[in-house]
Amino acid sequence: RGLRSETNITFNTALPVIFGAKKYAERLSEIVEEKNISVHYKHNLTEIDPSKKEAVFENLATGEKVTKKYDFMHVTPPMGPMEFLKTSPLADAGGWLDVDKHTLQHKKYPNVFGIGDCTNVPTSKTAAAVAGQSGVLRKNLLLHMKGQPLTQKASQKESSVSVGNSYY
């Protein structure tokens, strides 16, 4: 306790924004300002040297390599579709499971449904998104098995961002 004034916190992201959902991005931008957190956009982590406690980032805007010292590092690895899915007829052009963003039913194969980080649904690739999609999936699967129209619609806003002691 009492170490914050002696601590430098830096957030590096390969993305051009702090968070993909505008609602959360606005609040997170306020928080990093309030808490004096340094943010570097378009900085992709390319290498970590734990013996030196150094991380190397590529500035995606300039191509420059930037080496930064660290005491503690938290990393989220890059996310993308699995190879077996990318090469499957189930995938869209980007390699994601090609489902309707509302019903979660595959656009070409009506007996295929999907949720989570393998799909092309425009939500964050988080457990919070899956939690929001799972009820819709369950109901639509039951409707599909009964030969009834799919009436459940997934929200494109399912997400939960934890910042400090608050969830947004």
Side-chain angles (χ1 to χ4, degrees):
R1 308 265 177 213
L3 296 176
R4 179 61 184 102
S5 63
E6 300 172 35
T7 305
N8 294 318
I9 299 175
T10 303
F11 178 73
N12 294 287
T13 178
L15 301 175
V17 294
I18 196 162
F19 197 80
K22 186 177 179 184
K23 170 184 172 182
Y24 305 118
E26 289 172 353
R27 180 62 185 127
L28 287 170
S29 294
E30 292 171 4
I31 291 168
V32 298
E33 180 76 24
E34 292 165 9
K35 299 199 177 276
N36 194 29
I37 296 171
S38 176
V39 180
H40 301 276
Y41 300 106
K42 298 182 182 179
H43 277 66
N44 187 42
L45 178 64
T46 59
E47 183 181 338
I48 299 173
D49 184 339
S51 65
K52 293 181 180 178
K53 289 195 157 193
E54 291 181 343
V56 179
F57 295 87
E58 178 186 3
N59 181 327
L60 298 175
T62 66
E64 175 190 9
K65 297 282 185 177
V66 180
T67 301
K68 298 186 181 191
K69 297 288 250 176
Y70 68 87
D71 291 312
F72 174 81
M73 179 179 289
H74 173 79
V75 177
T76 302
M79 293 180 222
M82 301 296 292
E83 193 61 37
F84 76 88
L85 184 57
K86 290 195 305 190
T87 59
S88 161
L90 298 171
D92 66 7
W96 304 98
L97 185 65
D98 193 17
V99 298
D100 178 274
K101 68 181 183 179
H102 299 293
T103 65
L104 306 175
Q105 183 180 40
H106 195 275
K107 292 178 180 176
K108 185 175 179 184
Y109 303 102
N111 63 330
V112 174
F113 289 77
I115 59 173
D117 59 5
C118 70
T119 68
N120 59 356
V121 176
T123 59
S124 59
K125 308 293 188 205
T126 64
V130 171
Q133 295 165 355
S134 63
V136 171
L137 176 67
R138 182 181 60 79
K139 290 173 185 170
N140 279 342
L141 277 173
L142 292 171
L143 290 167
H144 179 73
M145 289 188 296
K146 293 177 185 175
Q148 297 175 352
L150 307 183
T151 59
Q152 299 301 303
K153 305 290 184 193
S155 167
Q156 304 312 300
K157 297 178 183 176
E158 294 296 340
S159 190
S160 176
V161 178
S162 169
V163 181
N165 297 328
S166 301
Y167 287 88
Y168 299 91

